[in-house]
Amino acid sequence: MSSAIASIVCEKSILGGLLAGYLVAFSATYVLHRCILLNIPATMTNMILAGGMGSAVALLIAPSISYLQLITGYIRQAIHLCMSGTIQGVGGVIGALFCWGSKYGYYHSICLPLILVEMELGEAALCGSIDEATLVCVSAGICLANLIVTPSFEDQGKEETLQLSRRGLCINLLFGDFIEVAYPFMEKSLLVNLAGYVASGLSVELLTGNSEDVLSSAYLPLPAAILLARDPLRISRAYFAAFSVSFAGALLNNFLSTTARDASPCSPVKKDE
């Protein structure tokens, strides 16, 4: 409640809302502790925490909202400038970094906040399109390859791989989520890992140019994510590239590993006595 009240003054400023939430969370413990030490009744404590503290935070950050809106505007301009296609190859680097950052825990600390900054004014996001290409479509391609030629691992049987890949494919395509399902397969195979990075870089490079035409979002069914963009054909090419390259790399890896396993003897041949 306190954060909701504090955020009233943060209209059209995602940074203002994030700052309000941080300040409320930072001060709530201290204010509650002081209320207990001063023997303030529970009802009044709730009013102080919810209404009083929220109002105080709102008054504190209200003068900075216009400046925070400028900052987020500059961030959006920087994102679109990087994806303008002026310098060839920048999109590929961004795609590979997006994939790497998600694998190593930077998605919620960097990637998702950038998407929220882009969506500050209620529009779709270029980083949302990158998210869908480098994470969702790449993961879906690897899952489909596992369903066609199923690998087996020492710590994971074929049936478990099938169930995980089937669920991952459905959730990725229908809900734009569950990208993490592909990461164990990427870590276990250099070829699958390489295919994932190549697919990410290639797909984002295809998104460069007039970035306003390919604004979209993850967390949507794949057809909805495509139709959300002004240029559905161009964004479809990028998504197809991400899906097909990761699919081909994973399928080749699974075929080679399965063939090699079947060709090797299960047990040593016994010599005749």
Side-chain angles (χ1 to χ4, degrees):
M1 177 63 74
S2 183
S3 297
I5 293 174
S7 299
I8 291 175
V9 300
C10 304
E11 183 180 5
K12 297 182 179 180
S13 174
I14 186 66
L15 286 185
L18 292 173
L19 179 60
Y22 173 79
L23 291 176
V24 166
F26 179 77
S27 55
T29 303
Y30 173 78
V31 173
L32 178 60
H33 184 250
R34 297 306 300 177
C35 288
I36 293 172
L37 291 179
L38 295 173
N39 292 319
I40 297 176
T43 302
M44 181 56 68
T45 298
N46 287 332
M47 294 176 66
I48 292 173
L49 284 171
M53 192 171 65
S55 300
V57 171
L59 291 173
L60 179 65
I61 66 173
S64 65
I65 295 301
S66 59
Y67 300 103
L68 294 175
Q69 289 174 340
L70 285 175
I71 293 174
T72 52
Y74 290 141
I75 293 174
R76 284 193 294 274
Q77 290 178 15
I79 293 172
H80 286 262
L81 180 62
C82 290
M83 290 290 293
S84 63
T86 305
I87 304 177
Q88 296 295 323
V90 172
V93 174
I94 292 174
L97 286 175
F98 221 95
C99 182
W100 178 86
S102 177
K103 286 179 62 180
Y104 291 97
Y106 293 101
Y107 179 80
H108 290 94
S109 60
I110 298 178
C111 304
L112 187 58
L114 287 176
I115 294 173
L116 294 177
V117 166
E118 280 200 84
M119 290 183 163
E120 182 181 52
L121 302 179
E123 299 176 345
L126 182 57
C127 285
S129 302
I130 297 173
D131 185 353
E132 183 78 12
T134 62
L135 307 183
V136 176
C137 292
V138 168
S139 179
I142 293 172
C143 289
L144 180 60
N146 290 341
L147 294 176
I148 295 175
V149 179
T150 307
S152 62
F153 307 99
E154 294 181 359
D155 59 340
Q156 182 174 306
K158 277 193 174 184
E159 188 59 35
E160 185 179 353
T161 299
L162 279 171
Q163 291 178 359
L164 188 62
S165 298
R166 190 179 298 114
R167 177 172 171 79
L169 179 64
C170 291
I171 294 179
N172 273 294
L173 295 182
L174 297 179
F175 301 99
D177 200 3
F178 202 25
I179 56 176
E180 300 86 354
V181 69
Y183 294 157
F185 304 113
M186 294 176 72
E187 290 302 312
K188 291 174 181 177
S189 168
L190 177 62
L191 180 56
V192 177
N193 201 34
L194 179 62
Y197 281 109
V198 171
S200 299
L202 176 61
S203 61
V204 176
E205 186 65 29
L206 291 173
L207 290 173
T208 57
N210 187 0
S211 54
E212 294 291 338
D213 290 341
V214 290
L215 303 183
S216 186
S217 175
Y219 306 105
L220 292 172
L222 183 59
I226 292 172
L227 293 175
L228 189 61
R230 295 180 187 174
D231 191 345
L233 180 60
R234 184 167 146 219
I235 203 170
S236 296
R237 286 199 298 263
Y239 290 169
F240 179 76
F243 183 90
S244 59
V245 171
S246 63
F247 168 77
L251 188 66
L252 177 61
N253 173 80
N254 295 349
F255 177 77
L256 292 176
S257 61
T258 302
T259 303
R261 185 181 65 250
D262 293 342
S264 62
C266 297
S267 58
V269 178
K270 294 183 179 180
K271 296 181 178 179
D272 295 333
E273 294 182 357

